[in-house]
Amino acid sequence: MSGDRPAGAGPSSPSTAPSFHEMWRELLPIGRHPGSGGYRRFAWTDRDAECRDWFEVQARARGLAYEVDRNGNQWAWLGDPAAGDAVVTGSHLDSVPDGGAFDGPLGVVSAFAALDELRGRGARLTKPLGIVNFGDEEGARFGLACVGSRLAAGQLTVEHAHRLTDGDGITLPRAMEAAGHDPDAIGADPERLARIGAFVELHVEQGRALDLSGDRVGIASAIWPHGRWRFDFRGEANHAGTTRLADRRDPMLPYAETVLAARREARLAGAVATFGKIAVEPNGVNAIPSLVRGWLDSRAPGQDTLDTVVGGIEKAAREYAEAHGVDLDVVRESFTPVVEFDHALRDELARILGAESDLKVPVLGTGAGHDAGILSGTVPTAMLFVRNPTGVSHSPAEFAAEDDCVAGVLALADVLEGLASR
Ligand SMILES: [Zn+2]
């Protein structure tokens, strides 16, 4: 990390870039797979525990009050949160399978670095300032995203959470217990969220809008509505060598046609649709499958469009399944409606960044879900994006340049100072 202040990012104290760099270097090796170079930081695993230990060390090293809430989210406080109207920033430290280094950790590291920056400036805050690491944001292990923030916001029932199970048959409560967290304590936490006056999540951009516009930092406008649907195609297992083609009920065929239909429906509607995960039974090279289970992820700029896309995919899947003598069940496993971030807070961020720096900060929509989106129903919420020149995310190719990361920290510091000293 260069110690120079990047152009157009507000006045910086000299320690901000080194502070960011040191934290980034400490966190970087945790959970990185030597073969793929991607991150495997899954909720309530040993790697997750290492990330959480790192968070606690950062909090205590800064003399912040540290706490883990009932749902496993970690908090670090400057000032007493009980005073209310707190300004909170943060993100998550877990990853998708073979994820990149920036999705999540950039927001948490930037939060601590922004606090260091504010202290270096001698900023006088009149409100409590919190830093949070939300647990299990990516949903890589238990199949449901944003479990920590959903539970806190009352958007996930305890009964549903207790039924979540990973690929090895381990339930969320057992995994929590094994990691030393009481699973019976989980559930809605309105008192905690009521203490927050504003939540700002900084995140690496998961697209190329900032790269194309030539800006380092942007402000979020809205998160597209998005969901996950499970398609179970059930046919009949049989010998791959001796079963005549005409006699087969092969669920792989309608599944394959459905993947192509998803692409077609999404393209026509200006949406996105992806089958990124599949499970096959019995999963043998020389066996016709009895079951092909595919998970659809779809997102669109608006609810009507998303309904049209998913409805079109399901209709096509049913026709293909019938044509092949295969049964089909479609289950919606999760759904998040469109999230419009708080307009007043968004405008406040634009005003602060316009006044405190010469950054031009475009306002962007995004197809990615975030804890900020979950909290936005309860708490005034905003997001800052940092430029990602590859536009790639959920992959080791995800990237943000050092100068852009520091610009993000300084923008976040400006925002936190502006909001917490009002
Ligand atoms: Zn993320």
Side-chain angles (χ1 to χ4, degrees):
M1 187 66 55
S2 130
D4 299 334
R5 177 167 77 85
S12 169
S13 71
S15 62
T16 291
S19 142
F20 179 92
H21 188 60
E22 190 180 320
M23 284 187 279
W24 194 253
R25 208 182 49 221
E26 284 174 12
L27 198 53
L28 210 53
I30 302 175
R32 183 165 55 193
H33 190 266
S36 69
Y39 287 87
R40 299 180 181 181
R41 296 165 172 165
F42 307 141
W44 305 110
T45 62
D46 290 349
R47 298 291 86 75
D48 187 43
E50 282 183 63
C51 291
R52 296 167 66 85
D53 288 348
W54 173 90
F55 183 97
E56 183 177 354
V57 166
Q58 298 305 321
R60 296 200 188 282
R62 287 167 176 77
L64 305 176
Y66 170 76
E67 57 181 354
V68 179
D69 71 21
R70 300 196 277 119
N71 298 304
N73 307 307
Q74 295 177 292
W75 302 80
W77 287 104
L78 177 68
D80 181 4
D85 202 20
V87 176
V88 176
T89 186
S91 191
H92 62 94
L93 293 174
D94 69 322
S95 79
V96 297
D98 284 330
F102 294 83
D103 178 354
L106 183 64
V108 180
V109 171
S110 296
F112 283 114
L115 173 66
D116 294 345
E117 165 70 18
L118 292 179
R119 282 176 159 169
R121 288 181 192 175
R124 294 192 175 279
L125 307 184
T126 55
K127 297 177 183 177
L129 181 66
I131 297 175
V132 61
N133 168 34
F134 282 110
D136 198 3
E137 194 272 350
E138 296 288 7
R141 183 171 177 190
F142 297 100
L144 179 66
C146 300
V147 167
S149 55
R150 276 186 211 271
L151 280 168
Q155 294 181 23
L156 170 63
T157 65
V158 174
E159 296 70 35
H160 186 176
H162 278 185
R163 284 197 308 271
L164 293 173
T165 306
D166 72 7
D168 295 324
I170 298 169
T171 61
L172 177 64
R174 294 293 80 74
M176 281 184 158
E177 214 164 51
H181 189 84
D182 177 9
D184 293 327
I186 66 172
D189 202 352
E191 302 83 13
R192 186 173 303 274
L193 297 188
R195 307 185 304 192
I196 304 173
F199 175 63
V200 180
E201 179 171 0
L202 178 145
H203 205 279
V204 68
E205 195 199 350
Q206 295 170 293
R208 289 190 58 223
L210 291 172
D211 189 49
L212 294 171
S213 68
D215 298 298
R216 296 176 184 277
V217 177
I219 300 173
S221 57
I223 299 177
W224 289 9
H226 55 279
R228 297 177 179 186
W229 290 260
R230 196 184 76 224
F231 285 61
D232 289 349
F233 296 90
R234 291 176 199 279
E236 185 178 41
N238 211 330
H239 195 293
T242 60
T243 315
R244 293 189 326 139
L245 294 181
D247 292 340
R248 297 183 181 199
R249 291 173 55 221
D250 182 350
M252 189 63 82
L253 299 174
Y255 170 71
E257 291 173 311
T258 301
V259 173
L260 300 178
R263 172 67 179 234
R264 189 172 61 240
E265 293 288 335
R267 178 170 47 78
L268 291 173
V272 290
T274 308
F275 278 95
K277 179 177 170 181
I278 180 172
V280 180
E281 291 177 13
N283 207 23
V285 176
N286 56 358
I288 298 163
S290 57
L291 169 71
V292 174
R293 176 169 283 164
W295 280 266
L296 169 70
D297 175 305
S298 188
R299 309 164 192 230
Q303 182 66 55
D304 292 352
T305 308
L306 185 59
D307 290 345
T308 302
V309 169
V310 176
I313 296 169
E314 184 174 343
K315 179 167 177 286
R318 294 203 180 283
E319 287 168 9
Y320 300 138
E322 193 181 336
H324 291 284
V326 166
D327 296 327
L328 172 64
D329 287 313
V330 180
V331 178
R332 190 176 82 176
E333 290 196 332
S334 71
F335 180 72
T336 309
V338 65
V339 171
E340 284 276 346
F341 288 112
D342 188 275
H343 289 193
L345 184 59
R346 188 187 72 195
D347 293 348
E348 179 77 358
L349 260 58
R351 191 195 61 72
I352 291 168
L353 292 175
E356 298 297 322
S357 70
D358 55 354
L359 283 174
K360 180 164 75 63
V361 276
V363 177
L364 320 166
T366 174
H370 299 283
D371 294 308
I374 301 296
L375 291 197
S376 68
T378 313
V379 174
T381 297
M383 288 190 77
L384 292 175
F385 292 124
V386 172
R387 176 164 58 185
N388 171 2
T390 67
V392 174
S393 187
H394 288 184
S395 145
E398 183 180 274
F399 183 68
E402 292 183 354
D403 278 0
D404 289 353
C405 291
V406 174
V409 170
L410 299 179
L412 181 61
D414 289 343
V415 163
L416 297 176
E417 184 175 9
L419 295 176
S421 54
R422 279 190 297 199

Short mmCIF file of all heavy atoms in Angstrom, two decimals, residues 91-92 103-104 137-138 201 203 206 369-370, ligand 1:
data_model
loop_
_atom_site.label_atom_id
_atom_site.label_comp_id
_atom_site.label_asym_id
_atom_site.label_seq_id
_atom_site.Cartn_x
_atom_site.Cartn_y
_atom_site.Cartn_z
N SER A 91 -19.13 -5.15 7.37
CA SER A 91 -19.57 -6.03 6.28
C SER A 91 -19.45 -7.47 6.79
O SER A 91 -19.91 -7.74 7.90
CB SER A 91 -18.70 -5.76 5.05
OG SER A 91 -19.20 -6.38 3.89
N HIS A 92 -18.83 -8.35 6.04
CA HIS A 92 -18.72 -9.75 6.47
C HIS A 92 -17.34 -10.28 6.11
O HIS A 92 -16.65 -9.73 5.26
CB HIS A 92 -19.80 -10.59 5.78
CG HIS A 92 -19.69 -10.61 4.27
ND1 HIS A 92 -19.02 -11.60 3.59
CD2 HIS A 92 -20.13 -9.74 3.32
CE1 HIS A 92 -19.08 -11.34 2.29
NE2 HIS A 92 -19.75 -10.22 2.09
N ASP A 103 -14.61 -9.31 -1.39
CA ASP A 103 -16.06 -9.32 -1.11
C ASP A 103 -16.27 -9.59 0.38
O ASP A 103 -16.14 -10.73 0.83
CB ASP A 103 -16.73 -10.39 -1.96
CG ASP A 103 -18.23 -10.52 -1.70
OD1 ASP A 103 -18.73 -9.85 -0.78
OD2 ASP A 103 -18.89 -11.28 -2.42
N GLY A 104 -16.61 -8.55 1.11
CA GLY A 104 -16.80 -8.67 2.56
C GLY A 104 -15.63 -8.09 3.33
O GLY A 104 -15.76 -7.02 3.95
N GLU A 137 -22.77 -14.42 5.79
CA GLU A 137 -23.43 -13.56 4.79
C GLU A 137 -23.63 -14.30 3.48
O GLU A 137 -24.65 -14.15 2.83
CB GLU A 137 -22.58 -12.30 4.56
CG GLU A 137 -23.33 -11.19 3.82
CD GLU A 137 -23.24 -11.27 2.32
OE1 GLU A 137 -22.45 -12.09 1.78
OE2 GLU A 137 -23.97 -10.54 1.64
N GLU A 138 -22.64 -15.08 3.08
CA GLU A 138 -22.70 -15.67 1.73
C GLU A 138 -23.62 -16.89 1.66
O GLU A 138 -24.06 -17.28 0.58
CB GLU A 138 -21.30 -16.06 1.25
CG GLU A 138 -20.35 -14.87 1.09
CD GLU A 138 -20.67 -14.00 -0.12
OE1 GLU A 138 -21.72 -14.24 -0.77
OE2 GLU A 138 -19.88 -13.08 -0.41
N GLU A 201 -22.45 0.30 4.66
CA GLU A 201 -21.57 -0.82 4.31
C GLU A 201 -20.73 -0.45 3.10
O GLU A 201 -21.28 -0.07 2.05
CB GLU A 201 -22.41 -2.08 4.00
CG GLU A 201 -21.54 -3.28 3.60
CD GLU A 201 -22.31 -4.60 3.51
OE1 GLU A 201 -23.53 -4.60 3.74
OE2 GLU A 201 -21.66 -5.62 3.20
N HIS A 203 -18.29 -1.85 0.17
CA HIS A 203 -18.15 -3.15 -0.50
C HIS A 203 -17.43 -2.97 -1.82
O HIS A 203 -17.60 -1.94 -2.47
CB HIS A 203 -19.56 -3.72 -0.74
CG HIS A 203 -19.59 -5.21 -0.86
ND1 HIS A 203 -19.27 -5.87 -2.02
CD2 HIS A 203 -19.88 -6.17 0.05
CE1 HIS A 203 -19.38 -7.17 -1.81
NE2 HIS A 203 -19.74 -7.38 -0.56
N GLN A 206 -19.28 -5.23 -7.61
CA GLN A 206 -19.34 -6.56 -8.23
C GLN A 206 -19.82 -6.41 -9.66
O GLN A 206 -20.74 -7.08 -10.12
CB GLN A 206 -20.24 -7.47 -7.38
CG GLN A 206 -19.60 -7.68 -6.01
CD GLN A 206 -20.50 -8.34 -5.01
OE1 GLN A 206 -21.51 -7.74 -4.59
NE2 GLN A 206 -20.17 -9.54 -4.60
N GLY A 369 -26.86 -9.19 -3.37
CA GLY A 369 -27.48 -9.00 -2.06
C GLY A 369 -26.43 -8.68 -1.01
O GLY A 369 -25.27 -9.03 -1.15
N HIS A 370 -26.84 -7.98 0.04
CA HIS A 370 -25.90 -7.59 1.10
C HIS A 370 -26.65 -7.52 2.43
O HIS A 370 -27.85 -7.31 2.46
CB HIS A 370 -25.29 -6.20 0.81
CG HIS A 370 -24.52 -6.15 -0.46
ND1 HIS A 370 -23.26 -6.67 -0.60
CD2 HIS A 370 -24.84 -5.64 -1.68
CE1 HIS A 370 -22.82 -6.48 -1.83
NE2 HIS A 370 -23.77 -5.86 -2.52
ZN ZN B 1 -20.31 -9.33 0.19
#
